[in-house]
Amino acid sequence: MKWTRISEHIWSLRAWVLIPVNVWLVKEEDGWTLVDAGIGPMAAKITRWIEAGGHGPLRRIALTHGHSDHVGAITRVLAAFGGDIPVMAHELEIPYMEGRQPYPRRKKAAQSVPAGIASALPTDGQGKLAQVGGLTPLHAPGHSPGHVVYYHEQDDVMLAGDLFTSSGGRLKRPMAMFTADMEEALRSARVVEHIKPGRLEVCHGGSVLRPAEQIGAYLRQ
């Protein structure tokens, strides 16, 4: 596992479990935001980096969604830092990750985080998702009902979770067997046309530069 700096404020940690699994740490004025929590063995690398980095404490964990490869280190990270750090996900995602409902296309509910750990992402007075540290959350369902992406405007980077995969700098579709509604995921992909980030990061794959330029070809795959 290796930390890589991808922009002024954002670092990526990659592990391999047949495929790459990436999580991100975002440097804030008051400490760090962890975006996704990967798999269990990533916990030690995450906690050591924060403890040794000299940029302040972990302030929050923001999830793109609740699948097990995005939440696996949460309990260990919380235990390392006292357990009172907020963990946030879209309100639509929480019943699935707590095991109260089966994800679409799955026969059985499966708990990926203990009940009560996660709270809903904050909203403004109009119900729009509010800022989380330096990140703007955007609801991008399809891979899961409450999937979100996070845009860091200052660095012009979008952290896209499983909205896409990528290969060789090209956008690829999310893994079909784990995607609740592929047609909805394809509609959500147009968020990059709206935001036009300079750089896009995915959980399973490498960086994609200027992803909006690829959307037409992506939708024709």
Side-chain angles (χ1 to χ4, degrees):
M1 282 182 275
K2 180 182 178 182
W3 283 103
T4 301
R5 189 171 192 171
I6 62 173
S7 66
E8 181 180 355
H9 297 91
I10 303 172
W11 282 257
S12 173
L13 176 64
R14 170 171 291 190
W16 283 86
V17 188
L18 300 178
I19 57 173
V21 176
N22 298 311
V23 304
W24 304 277
L25 272 171
V26 181
K27 182 182 174 184
E28 311 281 8
E29 292 183 0
D30 62 347
W32 296 96
T33 297
L34 175 65
V35 178
D36 283 347
I39 57 175
M42 301 176 88
K45 280 279 189 180
I46 293 167
T47 55
R48 283 201 296 266
W49 176 271
I50 294 167
E51 290 168 344
H55 297 301
L58 180 64
R59 292 297 186 183
R60 62 192 66 82
I61 300 173
L63 300 174
T64 60
H65 61 298
H67 288 172
S68 59
D69 56 334
H70 293 256
V71 301
I74 281 179
T75 55
R76 298 184 200 180
V77 170
L78 292 178
F81 293 113
D84 58 351
I85 295 161
V87 177
M88 293 171 285
H90 195 284
E91 63 178 353
L92 295 177
E93 194 76 4
I94 293 174
Y96 301 101
M97 55 198 280
E98 290 186 343
R100 291 185 274 127
Q101 294 178 228
Y103 274 104
R105 299 183 58 217
R106 298 191 183 179
K107 294 181 180 179
K108 295 182 179 180
Q111 186 182 68
S112 58
V113 298
I117 281 184
S119 59
L121 285 162
T123 58
D124 62 18
Q126 288 73 46
K128 180 181 178 181
L129 293 175
Q131 286 284 120
V132 174
L135 298 166
T136 300
L138 300 156
H139 189 207
H143 183 69
S144 71
H147 191 286
V148 298
V149 300
Y150 295 92
Y151 178 58
H152 194 285
E153 184 175 4
Q154 187 174 356
D155 288 10
D156 197 21
V157 174
M158 181 176 285
L159 306 178
D162 284 357
L163 180 59
F164 307 95
T165 60
S166 70
S167 177
R170 308 298 298 178
L171 294 175
K172 300 295 182 183
R173 293 190 177 189
M175 289 178 282
M177 68 182 297
F178 300 114
T179 297
D181 186 332
M182 186 63 76
E183 291 304 312
E184 186 174 46
L186 294 177
R187 291 192 294 272
S188 291
R190 291 191 177 275
V191 68
V192 300
E193 287 185 315
H194 172 62
I195 301 296
K196 292 184 171 59
R199 183 177 186 134
L200 181 138
E201 299 289 321
V202 299
C203 178
H204 307 300
S207 304
V208 178
L209 303 181
R210 300 180 299 280
E213 298 176 4
Q214 298 185 29
I215 282 295
Y218 170 78
L219 294 174
R220 293 191 295 271
Q221 286 180 15

